[in-house]
Amino acid sequence: EAQCCRYGQMHPHIDMSKVAIFGDWVVKPEFWKDVMIFPSDANAGEDVYHCYAACQGYYPQSWVGDLYITISTWLAYGSVEGTFSFEFEEPNNYIKEDQLAVVKELYDECCYPTQKLMPPGWLWEEHKQQVSSDPDRKTYCDWLVKTGWANFSTSSCDRIDNVFCDSEGNVQRLEVFQAGLQCRLPASLTLLTALDRLDLSTNKIYGSLPASLLTFPHLDRFSLERNSLTGTIPCPPSTSPVTSLSLGSNIFSGPLPACLAFATRLLELDVSANVLSGTLPPQLGELTNLVTLTVAQNMFSGSLPASLASLTALAFFSASR
């Protein structure tokens, strides 16, 4: 839920004649923690630093000065405890040539084929009000819709939407979610070995999920939920650092692999709304760091493993049909 910050009422000590007040974000976290990119569906060139009224409008000019951050729990019904962390990063514009080629292949294969068919003036916000089925899955890809590939070069990482690079030119985060991608996953994605976040959720990606995508040595968050992936869920390596694995709302079949227990750092596992079958593997009890476990809306049978009692950190569990 978004709201405007009500013209500085949250900061009564601010001299309103000297500062600009932008929109804030109110979010109700579903799990133990929340990572929010705001706005979540911005157009190219528009970001939280230049938006106002909950990002319903944008100021094109740059702003220099103090940054005020308000944390409020006014929506809570009881006491709230926890920690917050803030990271401030200077954008890196360098991207290695081979990694630039991987990102371009993703655009060429998964986005451009439908983007070139997009009718003039087509707007996602207007379209989703006119459809009733899968309204969050776009007919046309609108990733980089304002620029196209735009002859991006090895000094363009900070200009490629939803792509973030580290100081050495490696793609560190690839977060092209709800963009209308339609394709099989390009094999070249496995070359992005420095990834710590891969989020291609809520698209129209089909085919199998390559096990190699789970082998990145720094992978922390992996989300391909709300796609059309088929086949079995692959095994992560025994050294996997992944903490969040979201594969819900696909068409994965077969048993839930016991080898998921290799990912001992998992905090969140979601395989809901697939066609998985068989019994839940007792090895799930080895994931003692799990905070959320969602296996609902599948075809599982049998009893819940007694080993799930070992998940003492578990705060949310769903196995409903």
Side-chain angles (χ1 to χ4, degrees), residues 83-97:
T83 59
F84 292 86
S85 61
F86 299 94
E87 298 178 4
F88 299 90
E89 301 176 355
E90 181 178 353
N92 294 303
N93 60 6
Y94 173 56
I95 178 173
K96 292 178 178 177
E97 187 171 357

Side-chain angles (χ1 to χ4, degrees), residues 101-114 143 149:
V102 173
V103 177
K104 186 177 188 300
E105 183 177 1
L106 181 67
Y107 175 77
D108 288 345
E109 293 190 7
C110 304
C111 186
Y112 182 69
T114 63
W143 178 37
W149 187 249

Side-chain angles (χ1 to χ4, degrees), residues 64-102:
V64 177
D66 295 328
L67 173 64
Y68 297 89
I69 299 175
T70 296
I71 300 171
S72 171
T73 59
W74 68 274
L75 284 177
Y77 292 101
S79 62
V80 176
E81 297 181 0
T83 59
F84 292 86
S85 61
F86 299 94
E87 298 178 4
F88 299 90
E89 301 176 355
E90 181 178 353
N92 294 303
N93 60 6
Y94 173 56
I95 178 173
K96 292 178 178 177
E97 187 171 357
D98 62 331
Q99 306 218 357
L100 178 66
V102 173

Side-chain angles (χ1 to χ4, degrees), residues 1 24 36 57 116 124 167 171 173 187 208 221 223 279 321:
E1 298 180 12
D24 64 359
M36 179 57 63
K116 67 181 180 181
W124 167 236
S167 58
V171 175
R173 300 200 305 262
S208 61
R221 301 179 67 85
S223 179
T279 58
R321 299 188 69 174

Side-chain angles (χ1 to χ4, degrees), residues 259-321:
C259 56
L260 286 175
F262 291 164
T264 56
R265 298 184 186 180
L266 268 179
L267 302 170
E268 177 184 350
L269 175 60
D270 181 1
V271 294
S272 62
N274 282 285
V275 286
L276 300 171
S277 58
T279 58
L280 292 177
Q283 289 84 354
L284 288 176
E286 300 174 19
L287 298 173
T288 54
N289 291 313
L290 270 182
V291 177
T292 68
L293 174 59
T294 310
V295 297
Q297 301 179 51
N298 280 287
M299 301 175 65
F300 293 120
S301 58
S303 304
L304 292 177
S307 60
L308 294 185
S310 302
L311 304 180
T312 56
L314 198 65
F316 180 85
F317 173 65
S318 175
S320 62
R321 299 188 69 174

Side-chain angles (χ1 to χ4, degrees), residues 39-40 54 82 98 102 115 130 145 154 161 182 242 284 287 312 318:
S40 59
D98 62 331
V102 173
Q115 192 172 91
Q130 301 170 6
V145 68
T154 54
D161 293 341
Q182 299 186 36
V242 67
L284 288 176
L287 298 173
T312 56
S318 175

Side-chain angles (χ1 to χ4, degrees), residues 51-312:
C51 75
Y52 65 92
C55 282
Q56 298 303 304
Y58 290 84
Y59 291 116
Q61 66 266 38
S62 299
W63 294 93
V64 177
D66 295 328
L67 173 64
Y68 297 89
I69 299 175
T70 296
I71 300 171
S72 171
T73 59
W74 68 274
L75 284 177
Y77 292 101
S79 62
V80 176
E81 297 181 0
T83 59
F84 292 86
S85 61
F86 299 94
E87 298 178 4
F88 299 90
E89 301 176 355
E90 181 178 353
N92 294 303
N93 60 6
Y94 173 56
I95 178 173
K96 292 178 178 177
E97 187 171 357
D98 62 331
Q99 306 218 357
L100 178 66
V102 173
V103 177
K104 186 177 188 300
E105 183 177 1
L106 181 67
Y107 175 77
D108 288 345
E109 293 190 7
C110 304
C111 186
Y112 182 69
T114 63
Q115 192 172 91
K116 67 181 180 181
L117 302 176
M118 183 184 296
W122 185 86
L123 295 175
W124 167 236
E125 289 298 324
E126 294 180 0
H127 172 77
K128 68 180 181 180
Q129 295 175 7
Q130 301 170 6
V131 297
S132 58
S133 61
D134 287 333
D136 55 348
R137 303 196 190 193
K138 298 180 177 177
T139 307
Y140 308 102
C141 177
D142 61 1
W143 178 37
L144 302 174
V145 68
K146 289 189 175 181
T147 62
W149 187 249
N151 295 318
F152 291 128
S153 68
T154 54
S155 60
S156 301
C157 186
D158 59 336
R159 295 194 296 113
I160 306 175
D161 293 341
N162 310 99
V163 177
F164 306 86
C165 298
D166 62 21
S167 58
E168 297 180 357
N170 299 300
V171 175
Q172 192 171 32
R173 300 200 305 262
L174 182 61
E175 298 172 317
V176 191
F177 51 89
Q178 196 173 336
L181 301 179
Q182 299 186 36
C183 63
R184 294 181 182 272
L185 289 168
S188 61
L189 287 175
T190 59
L191 299 177
L192 303 181
T193 56
L195 277 178
D196 64 30
R197 294 183 194 174
L198 178 62
D199 187 348
L200 302 178
S201 61
T202 317
N203 285 293
K204 296 181 180 180
I205 297 172
Y206 53 88
S208 61
L209 173 59
S212 53
L213 290 182
L214 294 173
T215 63
F216 300 136
H218 307 292
L219 188 64
D220 179 50
R221 301 179 67 85
F222 185 97
S223 179
L224 275 164
E225 63 182 358
R226 295 194 62 79
N227 279 287
S228 300
L229 292 166
T230 55
T232 58
I233 294 176
C235 293
S238 58
T239 56
S240 175
V242 67
T243 65
S244 177
L245 182 60
S246 299
L247 299 174
S249 299
N250 280 284
I251 321 174
F252 288 116
S253 58
L256 186 65
C259 56
L260 286 175
F262 291 164
T264 56
R265 298 184 186 180
L266 268 179
L267 302 170
E268 177 184 350
L269 175 60
D270 181 1
V271 294
S272 62
N274 282 285
V275 286
L276 300 171
S277 58
T279 58
L280 292 177
Q283 289 84 354
L284 288 176
E286 300 174 19
L287 298 173
T288 54
N289 291 313
L290 270 182
V291 177
T292 68
L293 174 59
T294 310
V295 297
Q297 301 179 51
N298 280 287
M299 301 175 65
F300 293 120
S301 58
S303 304
L304 292 177
S307 60
L308 294 185
S310 302
L311 304 180
T312 56

